[in-house]
Amino acid sequence: MKIPQEIFQAMIKHAQEGFPLEVCGYLAGSNIDGVIHIKKHYLMSNTDKSNEHFTMDPSEQFQAFKDAQSHKITLLSCYHSHPETPARPSEEDIRLAYDQNMNYIIISLQDKNAPVMKSFWIKNGQVSTEDIEII
């Protein structure tokens, strides 16, 4: 996965500003020869307002989908933060990963001075990692 530096930084900032609650959002772009190229970032509201789980606002999700379509890109990745735990999918994250074509990113703020971002594919309850390249 290739993420522009400014989007990477915006995601980290979103997680830090939302602390101590989980934040969530989408990344959109293109899948070129099996490599995800991120072009746009969508901040979503966590309607749960929780530090342990998130639910995206459905109207914001629809707006992100429509905007991505208008830019001829696709929603490819869903991200959220873990304010107090490592950047790995929780049991709930794995259970709720319904879209097997979607990539999942977790930003850990366990060490507030050194946020960690990791990317995962979750298919049929199986988790595999994907490298993130900041461009």
Side-chain angles (χ1 to χ4, degrees):
M1 171 181 291
K2 296 177 185 257
I3 301 177
Q5 177 72 31
E6 61 271 12
I7 292 176
F8 175 84
Q9 291 298 331
M11 293 167 66
I12 297 291
K13 182 179 178 187
H14 184 205
Q16 291 171 328
E17 289 178 348
F19 186 87
L21 304 178
E22 284 195 9
V23 301
C24 50
Y26 281 122
L27 299 177
S30 304
N31 188 329
I32 302 168
D33 297 326
V35 178
I36 293 175
H37 296 262
I38 298 303
K39 307 278 190 227
K40 196 153 183 175
H41 169 233
Y42 298 95
L43 294 104
M44 298 285 119
S45 298
N46 177 358
T47 59
D48 291 341
K49 296 183 179 9
S50 169
N51 68 334
E52 295 180 344
H53 49 87
F54 71 96
T55 300
M56 292 183 178
D57 180 300
S59 64
E60 291 177 0
Q61 287 180 288
F62 184 65
Q63 288 302 316
F65 176 78
K66 283 178 35 179
D67 185 77
Q69 278 191 319
S70 75
H71 287 92
K72 297 185 177 11
I73 56 179
T74 304
L75 297 178
L76 296 170
S77 186
C78 171
Y79 77 88
H80 72 281
S81 63
H82 282 184
E84 301 163 358
T85 57
R88 65 174 177 250
S90 67
E91 287 182 28
E92 181 175 276
D93 294 335
I94 294 167
R95 183 173 45 82
L96 296 176
Y98 296 120
D99 189 343
Q100 296 188 14
N101 296 312
M102 181 75 60
N103 171 271
Y104 297 91
I105 292 178
I106 299 173
I107 304 163
S108 172
L109 297 177
Q110 189 173 26
D111 178 349
K112 292 183 196 87
N113 297 317
V116 174
M117 184 184 301
K118 293 187 179 178
S119 175
F120 303 92
W121 290 101
I122 305 173
K123 296 184 181 191
N124 299 318
Q126 300 299 308
V127 178
S128 59
T129 60
E130 178 177 28
D131 292 335
I132 296 174
E133 179 183 348
I134 309 305
I135 56 172

